[in-house]
Amino acid sequence: GAVVSQHPSWVICKSGTSVKIECRSLDFQATTMFWYRQFPKQSLMLMATSNEGSKATYEQGVEKDKFLINHASLTLSTLTVTSAHPEDSSFYICSASPPGARSATEAFFGQGTRLTVV
Amino acid sequence: AQKITQTQPGMFVQEKEAVTLDCTYDTSDPSYGLFWYKQPSSGEMIFLIYQGSYDQQNATEGRYSLNFQKARKSANLVISASQLGDSAMYFCAMRFSGSARQLTFGSGTQLTVLP
C-alpha cells in the first residue's frame, strides 16, 4: 500500500526556537497534503491543507505565521512551528492520498511527530 | 453542518468476543466516504476499512466489518474475535465530496481487550 513518511517522530525544543517537520509520500505524488494536530486524549483536528506550488489553506483559528507550510515538491510538505512555546506541544500528523480514483477512498498518515516545547 | 459523533469514550471487550464501536454522522451531502482508523499508543494512524455512500454492500476487511445504515446515518465498526493487540483508540472519519479531500474525525473510542 501507499506509504507516507513523517520525520522526526519526536522532538524536544526550547521555547522560542523553530521546529521543522517533514512529510513525504514515498510511492505516489501528492498535490495536496493535510496537517493535523492532536492533543492528548483528543481527536485529530485539521490545521491546514498543503498545496503543491501554491499557498497553504489554514483552518479558522490556526495562525499561518506560526505554522509555516511549504509544499515544494509533489512528494514533500513541511510544517515549521516558529517561535515555539509550551502550548504548541502536541502531536502533529500529516496525511496524503494517492492521485486519481484512489484519492477518494484512501488516506494515509505519517507516523506523527510528538513535539515537546520546554 | 457536517459532523461525526462517537458516543462511546471507552469500551471493554473480552478476548475472542466481538465488539461494535458506534459512529453516527450528519451531512446533507449525498456523496461521502466513511473511514475507520486504529491509533495505538505509538500514535500512528492505521487504516482499517472504508465505506462509500453509494456502496450497496457493507465493507469488510478481515476481522473488521462496517455496519452501514445510510438512513440512520450510522457506520458502526464491528471487530470480530477480539485480540489483545486490538486495544487502541479507534476513530471514525468522514470525507465529503469536493476537491479538498480532508477527513473530519470523531472524538474516538478507547477500546480495551481483556484477557
Side-chain angles (χ1 to χ4, degrees), chain B residues 2-72:
Chain B
Q2 295 154 330
K3 189 178 178 182
I4 297 281
T5 301
Q6 293 179 256
T7 58
Q8 306 155 313
M11 288 281 286
F12 292 88
V13 64
Q14 208 68 38
E15 192 178 8
K16 299 180 184 178
E17 293 187 350
V19 62
T20 298
L21 306 184
D22 293 343
C23 173
T24 59
Y25 57 92
D26 187 15
T27 181
S28 57
D29 194 334
S31 178
Y32 51 88
L34 294 154
F35 297 74
W36 275 93
Y37 287 88
K38 171 185 178 182
Q39 186 180 44
S41 56
S42 60
E44 61 184 314
M45 294 290 284
I46 302 169
F47 168 75
L48 297 178
I49 199 166
Y50 169 83
Q51 179 86 43
S53 59
Y54 294 118
D55 293 344
Q56 295 297 313
Q57 293 188 326
N58 287 345
T60 60
E61 289 286 348
R63 294 188 298 113
Y64 304 107
S65 61
L66 205 151
N67 183 1
F68 182 46
Q69 298 188 44
K70 194 170 182 177
R72 294 185 175 184

Side-chain angles (χ1 to χ4, degrees), chain A residues 8-73:
Chain A
S9 57
W10 62 270
V11 58
I12 301 173
C13 71
K14 290 186 176 182
S15 187
T17 62
S18 295
V19 173
K20 181 185 283 188
I21 303 169
E22 292 186 348
C23 180
R24 294 181 185 274
S25 56
L26 297 185
D27 55 358
F28 63 92
Q29 293 183 333
T31 56
T32 302
M33 293 184 177
F34 302 100
W35 288 96
Y36 296 84
R37 182 174 184 176
Q38 185 182 29
F39 290 107
K41 308 287 186 185
Q42 294 189 25
S43 187
L44 280 72
M45 298 299 294
L46 181 67
M47 296 176 64
T49 302
S50 175
N51 304 298
E52 190 269 336
S54 64
K55 292 182 179 180
T57 305
Y58 290 83
E59 295 301 298
Q60 190 173 6
V62 177
E63 301 174 59
K64 61 181 181 180
D65 295 330
K66 174 76 167 173
F67 300 100
L68 299 179
I69 291 173
N70 187 347
H71 196 145
S73 76

